[in-house]
Amino acid sequence: MALTPISKIVRRVRPVVSVPELADFVSMIDRQARLLVKVATTASEIIEGKESAHAVRLLELEQRREELKRRNYAALDSIPNPTPRIDEIRSTMDAIDRAAARLFVTGRDFHEWSSESDEAIRRMMTVIRNAAGNLQHGYAQLRKGSSAAEFDAHEAIGCKDAIDRHHPLALRETTTSDQQCHLPPVAQVAPKPDPTSVVGASCQEDLYANLNDIVEELVGAGIILRNWSQRLATDLQGRRDE
């Protein structure tokens, strides 16, 4: 996006702009989010039995994720003396990439997670797919210079409460057993090992844990999107008051 307001915010942080504008990175994030929606949709179709876990489309999406990751991180790594704003961009890219990677694992290894889908899993996947769509729409709004992205951000953040409502009651009351093998915990900011290197466990509780980790990533990205949108709204209001 070619956002004059956002560009001016960047210039306030760094008087000399010697790196790509924030707008360029939002465009990169938008492409990541579009891919995330496609991966979420494909994983949902696999869980619903509409698509094979060995579908060529799923593998193609994973290859595209890896390519976007290389290109985006190369652009970030080329920036000297990163600012806090650039750190937020990296955190967002990290969160979206990890969510997509975990969704790939969910689709690829679904037959190992559970022998069959249940209604709770299908509803949780719907929440994740909708949240990914909210994020993508929010980034598109931001690219246009619209502070309305905040509404999409709040919808994405709300996916945590939505998915909690679909957790089976028995799972909420179940304590973790020594035999369970969970995916590594996921933070909102710090990069984590590639989850595709982890073989999915055959217990359904781990599938729920994996989906919950995906939601945590989407919430983290949503919080940053909300902050960007609020800053843009403040800047636009300031321009109107001048």
Side-chain angles (χ1 to χ4, degrees), residues 46-57:
I46 290 173
I47 288 175
E48 293 170 4
K50 299 177 182 178
E51 184 67 88
S52 168
H54 303 287
V56 173
R57 179 170 51 161

Side-chain angles (χ1 to χ4, degrees), residues 120-157:
I121 295 173
R122 289 193 291 271
R123 290 181 178 180
M124 290 165 75
M125 284 300 301
T126 298
V127 169
I128 289 172
R129 191 170 64 247
N130 290 342
N134 291 138
L135 284 176
Q136 191 281 314
H137 188 263
Y139 298 129
Q141 291 295 311
L142 202 63
R143 288 180 61 195
K144 299 175 184 177
S146 171
S147 59
E150 183 175 354
F151 296 104
D152 294 298
H154 281 296
E155 288 295 318
I157 294 170

Side-chain angles (χ1 to χ4, degrees), residues 1-223:
M1 67 180 179
L3 288 182
T4 301
I6 293 248
S7 299
K8 287 191 175 183
I9 293 174
V10 175
R11 290 190 179 94
R12 292 185 192 131
V13 177
R14 299 186 65 193
V16 179
V17 180
S18 59
V19 298
E21 297 286 358
L22 177 61
D24 297 329
F25 288 108
V26 174
S27 295
M28 294 179 188
I29 292 171
D30 183 36
R31 286 193 290 272
Q32 273 189 292
R34 289 177 185 276
L35 181 63
L36 175 65
V37 173
K38 292 179 181 179
V39 177
T41 299
T42 302
S44 293
E45 291 175 349
I46 290 173
I47 288 175
E48 293 170 4
K50 299 177 182 178
E51 184 67 88
S52 168
H54 303 287
V56 173
R57 179 170 51 161
L58 184 64
L59 297 177
E60 289 177 343
L61 290 173
E62 174 61 6
Q63 291 173 353
R64 288 175 59 189
R65 180 190 73 84
E66 290 284 359
E67 179 59 27
L68 277 177
K69 180 179 180 179
R70 284 192 294 269
R71 286 162 48 189
N72 290 358
Y73 285 20
L76 284 173
D77 293 340
S78 69
I79 301 174
N81 306 316
T83 66
R85 188 61 50 80
I86 297 301
D87 290 341
E88 287 181 331
I89 293 172
R90 185 182 293 276
S91 296
T92 299
M93 288 182 174
D94 285 342
I96 295 177
D97 180 73
R98 289 195 296 264
R102 287 189 180 278
L103 280 166
F104 171 75
V105 171
T106 301
R108 183 196 64 188
D109 296 341
F110 179 65
H111 64 287
E112 295 182 25
W113 297 104
S114 174
S115 59
E116 60 181 13
S117 178
D118 61 23
E119 186 62 24
I121 295 173
R122 289 193 291 271
R123 290 181 178 180
M124 290 165 75
M125 284 300 301
T126 298
V127 169
I128 289 172
R129 191 170 64 247
N130 290 342
N134 291 138
L135 284 176
Q136 191 281 314
H137 188 263
Y139 298 129
Q141 291 295 311
L142 202 63
R143 288 180 61 195
K144 299 175 184 177
S146 171
S147 59
E150 183 175 354
F151 296 104
D152 294 298
H154 281 296
E155 288 295 318
I157 294 170
C159 72
K160 175 60 177 174
D161 291 335
I163 205 167
D164 284 345
R165 291 195 294 269
H166 298 310
H167 277 212
L169 181 60
L171 180 59
R172 297 178 190 171
E173 299 174 346
T174 300
T175 57
T176 303
S177 68
D178 295 336
Q179 288 75 29
Q180 290 177 334
C181 176
H182 293 285
L183 286 174
V186 178
Q188 293 181 359
V189 176
K192 292 293 181 179
D194 185 353
T196 59
S197 64
V198 181
V199 178
S202 59
C203 48
Q204 197 173 49
E205 289 83 355
D206 286 340
L207 173 56
Y208 294 134
N210 184 53
L211 297 181
N212 187 69
D213 285 341
I214 292 169
V215 166
E216 293 291 344
E217 300 288 5
L218 301 181
V219 169
I223 290 172

